[in-house]
Amino acid sequence: MAKRNKDNLRIKRKYLVWRKDAQGVSEATIDKTAAAISLYDGWLAGKDFRAFHSERARAFKRYLAGLRNERTGAPLSAATINGTLRELKGFFYWLADQPGYKSKISRAIADYLTPDKKSENARRGSLWKPHPSPDQVRHIIANMSQGTVIERRNRALVAFLFLTCSREGAAITLRLGHVDLAHNCVHFDGRQVDTKFGKTFTTAFYPFGEELERCVFNWLEELKRDHLFASSDPLFPKTLVGVGASRKFEVMGILREPWASPSSAAKIFKQAFADAGLPPFSPHRVRDTVAELAKDHCRTPEDYKAWSQNMGHEDVLTTFRSHGSVAPGRQTELMQRFRDRGRCTDDEGSDIIE
């Protein structure tokens, strides 16, 4: 068992309390911070945080580079390594101001934990990411099984994620009362729904077609009619498992409570694509698909602004920067078209601006 230094544990706990109460960060961020500090503390093998110097920082960076993912066996990604280093750097910046530590630690030494620019640029890169096309989305919804209540819930979940462009963590915390069927929209109340940074906004359904909308409408009606769900009940309830006639654990229906974590929703999402013979896309790729759909519907700057705002983005550039990359083949095709077409005329330029 790895040695732990009692002073390290005390100062780590104090820092986490400061992060939560003084900086107001979320529990998920607190967990990431705690994991990064614990990883470093374990590597120290009982040594005090005060014994921090440039060579120790460099040695820890080399240690991180040699670690492998426990599940896949692959080297840690640049995002994981850089995230760990950023959390540690912030911790030592804070330590440099604390009594009993500021005489031992300086921010200049903590800067040795800065990720190298090459890997940081790679992490921030906005290269095109494989994601399902709008037609593929419509295909899997049309072909997903719907014979049982669990299958209908799963089908509605996948359709809902695309219609609203919501993150799975937010979707599983929604209640029936947050969905406004009369206006085809959803109210993401940051006080009740697990939205990013606790933001509150309203999202109207994206134009994926009647099949996806009908799927969600029918699911809401089934919850209210057959299961007597009210406005305060979860939109996507967790699975009820019990001992069946065969004296084995079986799926027996749904509970009147939401999933505790988004992992089950992510698994359902990936399985839907795998069952259709497509790559098991992550729910994170939903926003890339929605950004691709924008090209079929948006014509003016106002269109793009409304589309971006509907995703919960305050700045339309966030949408383009994070999810608006052009596929390499399409990029080459467009560049060839530019060469063949020549320069825009003044009239064409004014039409685009308008």
Side-chain angles (χ1 to χ4, degrees), residues 6-53:
K6 292 182 179 179
D7 287 343
N8 289 357
L9 293 175
R10 278 192 289 266
I11 199 66
K12 171 188 169 182
R13 190 178 302 113
K14 183 178 179 181
Y15 177 65
L16 296 178
V17 171
W18 177 81
R19 285 277 278 162
K20 179 180 180 180
D21 295 339
Q23 293 192 314
V25 299
S26 66
E27 289 294 335
T29 302
I30 293 291
D31 290 343
K32 291 178 182 177
T33 302
I37 298 174
S38 294
L39 181 62
Y40 178 74
D41 192 19
W43 176 75
L44 285 178
K47 297 183 181 69
D48 199 288
F49 285 150
R50 297 179 182 88
F52 180 73
H53 50 78

Side-chain angles (χ1 to χ4, degrees), residues 54-339:
S54 60
E55 286 305 316
R56 182 155 289 168
R58 295 173 65 191
F60 182 70
K61 290 171 79 171
R62 292 192 295 270
Y63 168 74
L64 274 183
L67 287 180
R68 292 185 171 272
N69 186 296
E70 294 182 358
R71 182 173 57 86
T72 65
L76 296 184
S77 66
T80 300
I81 292 175
N82 292 3
T84 301
L85 291 174
R86 283 194 305 275
E87 293 290 353
L88 274 179
K89 182 179 175 181
F91 174 55
F92 279 103
Y93 263 41
W94 177 82
L95 279 181
D97 293 330
Q98 302 307 304
Y101 289 85
K102 57 186 177 182
S103 62
K104 305 288 186 181
I105 299 171
S106 70
R107 294 193 174 191
I109 299 299
D111 281 335
Y112 277 89
L113 291 169
T114 303
D116 66 272
K117 289 186 177 180
K118 183 176 180 180
S119 63
E120 187 69 2
N121 288 337
R123 183 188 69 84
R124 295 182 177 221
S126 56
L127 291 175
W128 181 83
K129 306 177 187 71
H131 57 269
S133 70
D135 286 339
Q136 287 175 330
V137 172
R138 299 182 187 103
H139 171 76
I140 67 161
I141 294 300
N143 290 278
M144 284 184 72
S145 301
Q146 46 186 320
T148 67
V149 63
I150 298 300
E151 290 174 339
R152 291 190 292 275
R153 179 203 62 189
N154 295 350
R155 184 169 178 260
L157 171 65
V158 176
F160 184 85
L161 291 178
F162 283 103
L163 284 174
T164 62
C165 198
S166 62
R167 294 175 172 83
E168 68 272 25
I172 66 170
T173 56
L174 283 167
R175 306 287 172 169
L176 267 65
H178 292 125
V179 184
D180 184 352
L181 293 181
H183 298 93
N184 295 334
C185 65
V186 181
H187 303 294
F188 289 91
D189 187 339
R191 298 167 299 179
Q192 301 172 323
V193 181
D194 187 18
T195 58
K196 191 173 183 179
F197 304 128
K199 291 192 294 186
T200 296
F201 56 93
T202 297
T203 292
F205 289 167
Y206 283 97
F208 275 95
E210 292 183 3
E211 181 74 15
L212 273 75
E213 294 183 9
R214 192 182 312 113
C215 174
V216 173
F217 293 165
N218 291 344
W219 173 243
L220 265 75
E221 287 301 315
E222 178 178 343
L223 288 176
K224 296 175 182 177
R225 181 187 64 248
D226 300 340
H227 304 281
L228 302 179
F229 271 40
S231 297
S232 59
D233 288 318
L235 178 59
F236 298 109
K238 68 188 299 184
T239 305
L240 171 62
V241 178
V243 179
S246 62
R247 296 188 178 181
K248 296 180 180 179
F249 285 110
E250 299 175 359
V251 173
M252 306 185 74
I254 56 175
L255 289 168
R256 200 179 292 270
E257 58 185 75
W259 281 302
S261 75
S263 59
S264 295
K267 184 178 179 180
I268 290 169
F269 187 92
K270 293 178 180 179
Q271 191 61 48
F273 284 93
D275 290 344
L278 297 170
F281 292 110
S282 163
H284 296 300
R285 300 281 73 83
V286 166
R287 294 184 161 238
D288 297 311
T289 301
V290 170
E292 179 181 337
L293 186 67
K295 300 167 188 174
D296 296 333
H297 296 274
C298 297
R299 295 292 181 270
T300 67
E302 184 183 30
D303 291 344
Y304 278 106
K305 176 60 180 176
W307 196 275
S308 173
Q309 193 169 299
N310 204 55
M311 294 173 74
H313 291 160
E314 296 177 359
D315 188 347
V316 69
L317 290 178
T318 302
T319 306
F320 286 121
R321 190 183 304 114
S322 301
H323 311 287
S325 298
V326 178
R330 178 61 174 164
Q331 175 183 328
T332 304
E333 177 186 335
L334 289 173
M335 296 309 296
Q336 182 62 48
R337 183 187 301 177
F338 297 152
R339 288 195 294 273

